[in-house]
Amino acid sequence: MHFHILPILLGVSYVLAAPLNVSGHKNLPNGLITPSPSELETIEENAHGTLPNGPTPLSISEGGIVSLQMIAMNAMFEVSFFDALIENITAEVPGYRFASDDDKQFILSGLEVILAQEELQVLDSNNHLAHFGIEPMLPCQYSIPVNNFDAAIEIAVKFTDVALGVLQDVVERYALGSDFTLARQISSLIGEKGEQQGWFRIMQGKVPSELPYPTTGDVHFAFSAVQNFAIPGSCPNVHTFPFEPFEPLHVIRIPGARTGNVLVSFVDHQNISDSSLWMTYINQQNLPVVEPLQVVTRTGNEVVAEALFPYEAHEMNGLTIAAVTTTDGPFVNSYEVTKVTLAAPGLFVIN
């Protein structure tokens, strides 16, 4: 099937028709975060499957709790995103119109399944938290910086890549904390996210499989990525999550599929010496790559800087997570990068 999106405007930074506002759990679709039995039955029908009904673990590690909170926060953001996207397509908002009704219905059918699957992931992770006596996570208000379908899918590819990376981190945290029962269940989500991602990439005219080993991640980076979409002060109980978000790292320009300079901007409240700033790239399952950061301008705390993106030397396709760090490592994994990160994550996808 060929999709003829009207208009085709990639890379525009506005809002998803209007700012996507989710004020408390009552505004999430289908009764989330506390659906009635009939609402849950509808969600499961739309998701083509059910909540897992296996035994709940008797105990959980500290890392396991953090992982469940992160999964809930990420899934609530995605529920809000896909719910708004479906609404815009259904209402034929300018920028979300298709050349034929068949194309429109095909896209809506797929998005409605994805939405329901994300809803189940919110419920399952929050149900586990409640079982262990932990306050379930509540949704924020979100503002999504797109105003057309193509740009929405471009963002969906990025946050799905981030989800695929953080789920790797979650599985490792479960393994380290002996949360073996949860590890198998969460591993199944990697398959579900991969199926979604392949579909999104086909809509972009790309091959469905992005990388042989998709880019890894860390809950710190994923948390900051979600918070970048949250309206400040709108998250009812984000304080229960044990991390603070990093300063945002805005990617202004990338060289594409070639070696060249990446241009970024960020806020440096610490006034760190220019010579002590580095750009660290996380890509695929490889060791983080570190390049000197060259400050272009400083205006108060606002910094514009650039660094080499060594594409050819490392075949740096797929998702890259960029972070401004205060040392040049060496880093053995993404978690080590988070310990010295000043601003992150800068997200971009090559090929």
Side-chain angles (χ1 to χ4, degrees), residues 16 79-92 96 104 107-116:
L16 193 57
V79 165
S80 299
F81 178 91
F82 289 118
D83 185 53
L85 182 55
I86 289 168
E87 181 179 327
N88 286 353
I89 294 171
T90 302
E92 297 189 346
Y96 299 87
K104 174 183 174 181
I107 294 295
L108 282 175
S109 296
L111 291 176
E112 286 164 356
V113 173
I114 290 173
L115 171 64

Side-chain angles (χ1 to χ4, degrees), residues 5 7 57 103 107 123 147 168 175 177 205 224 227 236 272 274 303 341 350:
I5 313 304
D103 285 355
I107 294 295
L123 293 172
N147 73 342
Q168 299 169 35
S224 293
Q227 287 301 297
I272 295 174
D274 293 357
V303 180
T341 290
I350 303 296

Side-chain angles (χ1 to χ4, degrees), residues 301-312:
N301 293 325
E302 300 282 344
V303 180
V304 175
E306 62 181 1
L308 182 70
F309 178 62
Y311 172 82
E312 276 94 356

Side-chain angles (χ1 to χ4, degrees), residues 257-280:
R258 62 181 181 83
T259 295
N261 283 351
V262 169
L263 186 68
V264 298
S265 67
F266 58 95
V267 173
D268 175 16
H269 291 296
Q270 303 177 42
N271 293 315
I272 295 174
S273 168
D274 293 357
S275 62
S276 298
L277 295 176
W278 304 81
M279 182 70 85
T280 300

Side-chain angles (χ1 to χ4, degrees), residues 135-170:
E135 181 181 354
M137 301 307 298
L138 299 173
C140 307
Q141 297 176 9
Y142 307 99
S143 182
I144 314 300
V146 297
N147 73 342
N148 63 83
F149 180 79
D150 286 353
I153 294 302
E154 186 175 11
I155 282 190
V157 164
K158 287 182 182 177
F159 68 64
T160 304
D161 267 339
V162 171
L164 284 165
V166 76
L167 287 171
Q168 299 169 35
D169 187 38
V170 166

Side-chain angles (χ1 to χ4, degrees), residues 33-257:
I33 56 174
T34 54
S36 67
S38 63
E39 287 171 326
L40 176 58
E41 182 178 354
T42 298
I43 294 172
E44 291 181 327
E45 288 176 356
N46 292 340
H48 296 179
T50 67
L51 283 171
N53 63 3
T56 302
L58 299 177
S59 62
I60 191 170
S61 67
E62 182 177 338
I65 292 171
V66 169
S67 297
L68 287 172
Q69 290 175 314
M70 184 66 250
I71 292 167
M73 285 188 288
N74 184 73
M76 284 188 291
F77 162 70
E78 293 194 26
V79 165
S80 299
F81 178 91
F82 289 118
D83 185 53
L85 182 55
I86 289 168
E87 181 179 327
N88 286 353
I89 294 171
T90 302
E92 297 189 346
V93 172
Y96 299 87
R97 296 172 182 168
F98 293 81
S100 72
D101 286 340
D102 285 346
D103 285 355
K104 174 183 174 181
Q105 292 306 314
F106 177 77
I107 294 295
L108 282 175
S109 296
L111 291 176
E112 286 164 356
V113 173
I114 290 173
L115 171 64
Q117 291 172 348
E118 295 296 336
E119 290 172 330
L120 290 185
Q121 291 165 26
V122 171
L123 293 172
D124 185 62
S125 52
N126 269 343
N127 286 346
H128 279 301
L129 289 171
H131 172 78
F132 294 116
I134 308 298
E135 181 181 354
M137 301 307 298
L138 299 173
C140 307
Q141 297 176 9
Y142 307 99
S143 182
I144 314 300
V146 297
N147 73 342
N148 63 83
F149 180 79
D150 286 353
I153 294 302
E154 186 175 11
I155 282 190
V157 164
K158 287 182 182 177
F159 68 64
T160 304
D161 267 339
V162 171
L164 284 165
V166 76
L167 287 171
Q168 299 169 35
D169 187 38
V170 166
V171 171
E172 185 170 288
R173 286 171 181 267
Y174 284 159
L176 292 171
S178 298
D179 302 316
F180 303 119
T181 303
L182 292 173
R184 180 180 293 273
Q185 180 178 311
I186 295 304
S187 295
S188 71
L189 295 186
I190 297 175
E192 184 258 354
K193 294 295 182 189
E195 291 170 342
Q196 288 182 20
Q197 187 70 314
W199 190 52
F200 296 150
R201 285 176 57 83
I202 287 172
M203 282 192 276
Q204 292 184 314
K206 299 178 179 180
V207 296
S209 181
E210 185 173 291
L211 289 167
Y213 296 94
T215 297
T216 189
D218 186 276
V219 292
H220 296 74
F221 291 135
F223 175 61
S224 293
V226 171
Q227 287 301 297
N228 284 343
F229 291 110
I231 296 173
S234 71
C235 302
N237 65 344
V238 71
H239 62 276
T240 64
F241 194 70
F243 303 147
E244 292 291 330
F246 297 120
E247 288 289 341
L249 179 61
H250 305 288
V251 179
I252 301 171
R253 185 187 69 235
I254 61 173

